[in-house]
Amino acid sequence: MFTMYLSSSLSLIVILFTSLFFISISSLQTPKHYVVYMGSPIEADVHNSEAYYFQMLDTLLPREESERRKGIHHYKHAFRGFSAMLTEAEAATLSGHDEVVSVFEDPMLELHTTRSWDFLDSLSGVSSSFPIYNSFHGSSDIIIGVVDTGIWPESPSFSDKGFGEIPLKWKGICMEGADFNKFNCNRKLIGARYYKSTGATSARDSNGHGTHTASTAAGAHVDGVSDRGLARGTAKGGQPGCRVAAYKTCTADGCPGSAMLKAMDDAVHDGVDIISISIGLSAAFTSDYLSDPIAIGAFHAELKGIMVIASAGNDGPNASTVTNVAPWLFTVAASNIDRDFQSSVILGSGKVIRGTGIHFSNATRPKAYSLVYARNAAAASKPVEDARTCLPGSLDPKKVSGKVVVCVMPRDAVTTKQIIKVVVEDAGARGLILVNQKEKIRASDFGRFPFSEVDMTDGYKILKYILHTKRPTVIILPTVEVKPTKPAPVVALFSSRGPSSLTENILKPDVMAPGVSILAALPPPKTAKPSTPEFGLRSGTSMSCPHVSGAAAFVKAHRPSWTPSMIKSALMTTAITHDNMRRPVTNTSGLTSTPHETGAGEINPNRAINPGLVFETTTQDYLQFLCYYGYSQKTISKTLTKATKFSSSKKTSKDLISNINYPSISIGNLRRGQRKMIERSVRNVGPERNVTYVAHIEAPEGLVVKVAPKRLVFEENVDKVSFKVWFYGEKSAPKRYHHGSLEWSDGYHSVRSVFSVNIN
């Protein structure tokens, strides 16, 4: 009997092993979409041509597979390479080619889903002669390329009223498609492209994300707009006088990295000045710099003098969730503005509790409904704790149908407010009161479903009322707008946090900008005419990113000769670190925020046009960064043109990354009792050539910070000065990150660099 059992078990193991073996072999032989990155173009060289890429594929792929040998995308303007359907074995073979930098499977990126400009203007406290809403102050030649879900060209946000001829530098096209023709472009929306590999049939935006981000960055003035009556006012972008070019890379399925690369390659060729990308990899799937489509495309755009601004991601509040962390990217976190949306409830006792939320009920007059605590409405055999938090399948429809349900928001990050809404609505409830036990509440849009969100204190009052009332009832009042609210800005709960999981020696995110309940253009309902104005509220770092794109365009309009790193420095060193109560900016827990949440702070465009000093991060800095990170000189050299000279440092250590000339400072590892020196240089761009800046340091207890020299003296022929900063971790210092700042002032300008130092 034992022998038979053993024989049977061995046979099963052999079958299982054989199956796994063939599955493994099959996976190696199944073609998948890969990107083959080959560095910078070689001028006037056949190696840039599609024919050369065909030849590479021709020698690798079977003759009978003619379609695969054509490839899918070909990159030839800002960088070289192609994408194609390859097996794992074929990809491995190509990765060994002398001209190939990296080969990686095509990743699927995700979307990081205007009173905001008035708020930034008021928060700065600066009376500027260059107000943000000066539409055409030198900005009509600036072109913002928006890589996203496309665009709705008929929106009044893209009206070309007042615009002159399209700049001669523009080389792009208005790509025609199924429901998009060349006449949909104008002198404002000067270009549009889409990419068939994504499944798109035109550049038209059916999602709304791309239209919203483009109008936030550069939308024209549109008066009297609102989201179904809320947030009524004038919508406008950060720099309404800018031109816009749309690159549709995203559909309902996501944003393929290969199409993202093609869009950035095209944008560089077309002549854009700024690329705005509210897209990124999930924090759970970080990729190194030479296998990340956005990092690769942005690196080559930077080499061409084109600024790339990207969202930090929506995976907060957990640490080390920030994405788009390459130093040549401008990475943006999200905050709220001084506006909120109140959805109050009236208990049957007459007590009014002010909740938060956005809903648009059809009812002309709010109605009282029976009120039930979800814990008391558990389905048979379901744990009452599951019902308390309204987990899927936990509620008994007979106990909640026709009533307003009180649910307690679970502490895990898996069950979202939208999931709870679906659970409650599917059970037949007529409304939802959500008790939030972990965060400062922000308004969530629940459409036509009556909804209010309250904190634990008010939640306890509601539960106490239910407990002591035989037939509890409630009315959920319609949403009303409340402004100005305090405090603002506050770091958004969803905004991804640092430090970067790739390297802690570059401080990310870089800055923060409004990203909560932002009003901007959207496509109209399907039943409406295409030209019907439509605006809506959306939240995410997707919304904060175009705010910075508009701010960067604003700075460039006034400082056209500045490089991307100078504009970045200006926006970082002039950023605001206090709220509208003149207190340090806080997060949703009410705690003082850190640079891992806010970066340098909330952008202040008015101050950024006159920062006094700037940190210039050069191409050599970025190349040294790659070297310190661990890439070989051979690999780095492939990314460059022959005209760019680079010799790698003899010392290569990730600790040295802290020394590249970045506007902020981050040290990922400082031992107790250790002293570390960081060097920086700044250029005087202020109106006074003979000027002296004096240092002021704010350092936390346990971290000793000193600077030399303490005074930076600029003269007629001396516009660039270096300084050194020493960091010393005291032996009694707590083992954690310590944050502070170094500020240089000439009595008028304040040039502030934040620092984060991890003492171990």
Side-chain angles (χ1 to χ4, degrees), residues 546-596:
H547 275 88
V548 177
S549 301
F554 171 72
V555 176
K556 188 171 179 63
H558 295 95
R559 303 288 181 257
S561 64
W562 281 10
T563 64
S565 75
M566 293 169 76
I567 296 172
K568 180 181 189 177
S569 172
L571 285 164
M572 288 177 69
T573 61
T574 59
I576 298 166
T577 57
H578 59 265
D579 60 27
N580 56 3
M581 298 173 71
R582 307 305 299 173
R583 297 173 182 171
V585 170
T586 58
N587 56 30
T588 51
S589 298
L591 302 174
T592 300
S593 60
T594 74
H596 286 156

Side-chain angles (χ1 to χ4, degrees), residues 136-454:
F136 293 96
H137 183 91
S139 63
S140 62
D141 283 345
I142 296 173
I143 304 166
I144 300 178
V146 181
V147 180
D148 213 295
T149 62
I151 201 158
W152 196 266
E154 292 87 357
S155 170
S157 289
F158 309 116
S159 166
D160 64 355
K161 183 179 179 181
F163 279 84
E165 294 300 313
I166 293 170
L168 293 176
K169 67 180 179 182
W170 177 247
K171 300 176 184 175
I173 61 171
C174 190
M175 193 172 175
E176 296 193 300
D179 50 0
F180 201 105
N181 60 53
K182 63 182 180 181
F183 299 108
N184 287 127
C185 294
N186 57 26
R187 289 171 297 179
K188 168 75 171 179
L189 174 61
I190 62 175
R193 292 181 185 265
Y194 70 98
Y195 300 91
K196 294 179 181 179
S197 66
T198 65
T201 58
S202 83
R204 186 170 291 278
D205 180 16
S206 58
N207 175 289
H209 192 273
T211 301
H212 198 282
T213 56
S215 62
T216 300
H221 290 254
V222 186
D223 295 325
V225 302
S226 69
D227 182 352
R228 294 159 287 185
L230 291 177
R232 187 173 299 280
T234 299
K236 58 180 179 290
Q239 197 59 21
C242 284
R243 321 280 180 152
V244 173
Y247 299 83
K248 183 175 181 177
T249 60
C250 302
T251 63
D253 297 326
C255 315
S258 58
M260 295 288 298
L261 271 172
K262 182 60 177 170
M264 296 174 80
D265 191 38
D266 285 338
V268 171
H269 168 265
D270 291 347
V272 306
D273 299 286
I274 293 167
I275 299 176
S276 186
I277 301 179
S278 293
I279 300 164
L281 289 165
S282 166
F285 302 101
T286 53
S287 179
D288 76 24
Y289 301 102
L290 298 185
S291 298
D292 177 348
I294 294 178
I296 291 170
F299 176 76
H300 290 280
E302 172 73 28
L303 296 183
K304 299 278 188 179
I306 298 166
M307 191 171 193
V308 182
I309 297 156
S311 47
N314 297 338
D315 292 313
N318 294 332
S320 298
T321 51
V322 62
T323 61
N324 293 323
V325 295
W328 47 84
L329 280 165
F330 201 5
T331 312
V332 187
S335 64
N336 72 339
I337 62 173
D338 62 341
R339 173 178 65 199
D340 205 357
F341 299 95
Q342 191 170 286
S343 180
S344 297
V345 299
I346 304 176
L347 303 179
S349 62
K351 187 174 185 61
V352 178
I353 292 177
R354 292 179 180 177
T356 298
I358 300 171
H359 68 93
F360 303 92
S361 172
N362 280 326
T364 54
R365 186 175 180 182
K367 184 179 177 182
Y369 290 99
S370 295
L371 184 63
V372 62
Y373 181 24
R375 194 178 193 278
N376 301 330
S381 74
K382 294 294 181 181
V384 293
E385 282 305 305
D386 284 5
R388 173 178 175 268
T389 54
C390 296
L391 297 182
S394 66
L395 299 179
D396 184 346
K398 293 179 182 178
K399 296 178 180 178
V400 302
S401 181
K403 301 177 181 179
V404 171
V405 183
V406 179
C407 302
V408 178
M409 184 79 185
R411 291 186 181 276
D412 66 75
V414 177
T415 309
T416 65
K417 297 174 189 179
Q418 294 300 327
I419 290 174
I420 292 173
K421 178 215 173 189
V422 170
V423 170
V424 171
E425 197 170 17
D426 284 352
R430 300 302 298 269
L432 168 64
I433 297 174
L434 186 61
V435 181
N436 199 317
Q437 56 183 335
K438 67 176 184 177
E439 60 168 292
K440 181 179 172 64
I441 299 164
R442 68 174 180 88
S444 298
D445 188 347
F446 272 46
R448 296 190 180 281
F449 191 66
F451 165 75
S452 182
E453 188 173 357
V454 299

Side-chain angles (χ1 to χ4, degrees), residues 693-710:
Y693 281 79
V694 180
H696 173 70
I697 295 170
E698 288 188 6
E701 190 174 342
L703 180 66
V704 178
V705 184
K706 294 185 177 180
V707 62
K710 294 181 180 180

Side-chain angles (χ1 to χ4, degrees), residues 56-75:
M56 289 179 69
L57 290 171
D58 194 49
T59 57
L60 181 69
L61 304 181
R63 287 190 173 278
E64 62 271 18
E65 300 201 42
S66 57
E67 283 302 309
R68 281 212 291 143
R69 286 157 62 192
K70 293 178 183 177
I72 297 174
H73 293 296
H74 304 98
Y75 315 118

